Amino acid sequence: MNLEETARKIRTMEIRGAGRIARHAAKALYTHSMEGESSDLASYCQRMNEAADLLISTRPTAVSLPNAINLVMKPLKYETDVLSARQNLEERAMAFVKRSEEAVSRIGTIGARHIRDGDVILTHCNSEAALSCILKAHKQGMNIEVYATEVRPRNQGHITAKTLSDAGVRTNFIVDSAARYFMKEVDLCITGADAITVNGSVINKIGTSQIALAAHEARVSFLVAAETYKFAPCTILGERILIEERSPDEILSPEMRGTLPNVTVRNPTFDITPADYVDLIITEAGVYPPEMAYTVIREQLHWDNEDMISDLPYCEEE
Ligand code: RI2
């Protein structure tokens, strides 16, 4: 898949999920570097910077995307010749893909330790990291049951239900608004994350914060499974994560909206769950209470490298 195709597919959500978006972006940079014909370092850098800008512009919220691009692109500025610049960038891109895949698997192993035999787990949207925990527990022979939400308007819950069903996990498929109704039957909620701020707030699929609130009310644990590259270094500087608002067509067709002249359809894709409602964040580097987000950013993402924070391209005001 070339750069433009990858960018288009991320934008239209044919490629979706915060981790997958990041891996595809790294692969697109790899391919773009391989296919290019730049003979000097300056034109190679320009070409790659344009590619990075295009990829970053595709979706604004999942911090995994700019974090991955940052990891691949940033050291370019220290290169002195085009050949090694290309080779090093391509190595970094593939190293990120490998690291990301291993992280999801490791999160499963760590997360399964927080699931007990007999647990009923509620999950929201379609998260590789959250599913990794659930599937690992199932593989270890635990007798678990899952409530999976539908996830209007894009219905990512269908993918989750199919994955769980194929793996033989007993699954209840529910509409998003039924989450509080069923919370009394749930032992544990596990979701993924698109971004985690320095104060431990979790940005994830719209509806997550309502579920966290219902879990809090029912004294049900709320866990978040997320690779360390979902933490947002820019939030240390007080920046906010931009919440994507997608087309109203995803909710009501233009024809239907035409019959409702006084109605505005709003379609925010993500919401923010404050740290108070999050019990634990499961990462590939171990588990952290949300209050330790600063430590994760500092130790795992090496935020104190001045280059990294001086020109972060990806955080905008809300
Ligand atoms: P993993 C998804 O976003 C969902 O919000 C999901 O919870 C999150 O990414 C993390 O997914 P979207 O692309 O990286 O469906 O754990 O909007 O797979």
Side-chain angles (χ1 to χ4, degrees):
M1 219 186 317
N2 70 19
L3 174 75
E4 286 74 20
E5 204 180 347
T6 302
R8 183 185 59 75
K9 287 191 173 178
I10 293 175
R11 210 181 288 280
T12 58
M13 292 181 68
E14 275 174 75
I15 297 170
R16 52 145 298 279
R20 265 189 227 102
I21 292 171
R23 285 198 293 281
H24 275 88
K27 282 183 200 163
L29 289 175
Y30 171 86
T31 312
H32 197 63
S33 170
M34 293 270 284
E35 288 173 351
E37 302 230 331
S38 316
S39 55
D40 64 279
L41 185 60
S43 60
Y44 174 73
C45 288
Q46 191 188 337
R47 204 169 152 269
M48 295 310 296
N49 281 330
E50 284 167 8
D53 287 348
L54 174 67
L55 290 165
I56 283 177
S57 74
T58 54
R59 291 194 73 193
T61 303
V63 162
S64 49
L65 174 64
N67 274 351
I69 290 172
N70 216 32
L71 282 165
V72 175
M73 292 292 295
K74 272 289 148 100
L76 242 194
K77 67 166 81 157
Y78 303 112
E79 298 285 2
T80 50
D81 75 276
V82 67
L83 274 183
S84 61
R86 280 177 85 140
Q87 192 183 339
N88 292 336
L89 183 142
E90 288 158 18
E91 278 173 13
R92 284 193 300 276
M94 293 329 284
F96 175 81
V97 173
K98 186 164 177 278
R99 169 190 162 183
S100 168
E101 286 166 351
E102 286 172 357
V104 173
S105 162
R106 176 109 187 100
I107 285 170
T109 305
I110 296 172
R113 293 184 201 139
H114 294 266
I115 298 173
R116 293 155 306 178
D117 195 25
D119 270 355
V120 176
I121 303 163
L122 187 146
T123 190
H124 183 55
C125 201
N126 177 249
S127 157
E128 283 183 322
L131 278 175
S132 182
C133 305
I134 295 168
L135 293 172
K136 188 72 181 190
H138 175 71
K139 264 196 205 135
Q140 288 173 351
M142 287 189 225
N143 176 24
I144 54 171
E145 183 176 345
V146 175
Y147 278 85
T149 49
E150 183 182 24
V151 195
R152 279 278 292 150
R154 302 284 303 210
N155 301 325
Q156 290 99 320
H158 290 242
I159 311 169
T160 297
K162 171 94 172 80
T163 304
L164 292 168
S165 175
D166 288 350
V169 179
R170 238 166 348 122
T171 302
N172 306 280
F173 186 63
I174 61 172
V175 295
D176 303 324
S177 45
R180 183 166 178 253
Y181 178 85
F182 285 113
M183 196 55 80
K184 57 186 175 304
E185 295 172 25
V186 170
D187 298 298
L188 185 67
C189 298
I190 309 181
T191 73
D194 291 82
I196 300 172
T197 68
V198 67
N199 61 13
S201 294
V202 172
I203 290 92
N204 192 49
K205 184 58 53 190
I206 189 78
T208 302
S209 66
Q210 289 178 174
I211 293 172
L213 208 59
H216 186 74
E217 176 194 47
R219 298 176 61 80
V220 168
S221 295
F222 188 90
L223 311 189
V224 172
E227 304 89 306
T228 50
Y229 53 79
K230 309 265 179 76
F231 287 74
C234 61
T235 58
I236 285 180
L237 304 178
E239 304 250 8
R240 289 167 186 265
I241 304 291
L242 181 72
I243 301 292
E244 177 180 15
E245 182 149 354
R246 294 183 67 84
S247 165
D249 295 356
E250 292 184 348
I251 295 180
L252 280 185
S253 67
E255 296 72 41
M256 177 65 99
R257 293 209 311 283
T259 68
L260 304 167
N262 296 315
V263 174
T264 304
V265 176
R266 301 292 307 272
N267 186 17
T269 306
F270 304 100
D271 65 19
I272 302 165
T273 301
D276 285 353
Y277 300 101
V278 177
D279 290 293
L280 212 55
I281 302 173
I282 305 159
T283 79
E284 75 278 16
V287 293
Y288 296 90
E291 294 75 15
M292 283 184 75
Y294 174 81
T295 308
V296 178
I297 294 172
R298 196 184 162 98
E299 290 178 2
Q300 304 295 327
L301 296 174
H302 313 294
W303 72 276
D304 50 351
N305 174 348
E306 229 174 74
D307 291 332
M308 196 166 166
I309 55 171
S310 59
D311 55 354
L312 287 173
Y314 45 84
C315 286
E316 295 174 39
E317 288 295 323
E318 214 173 27

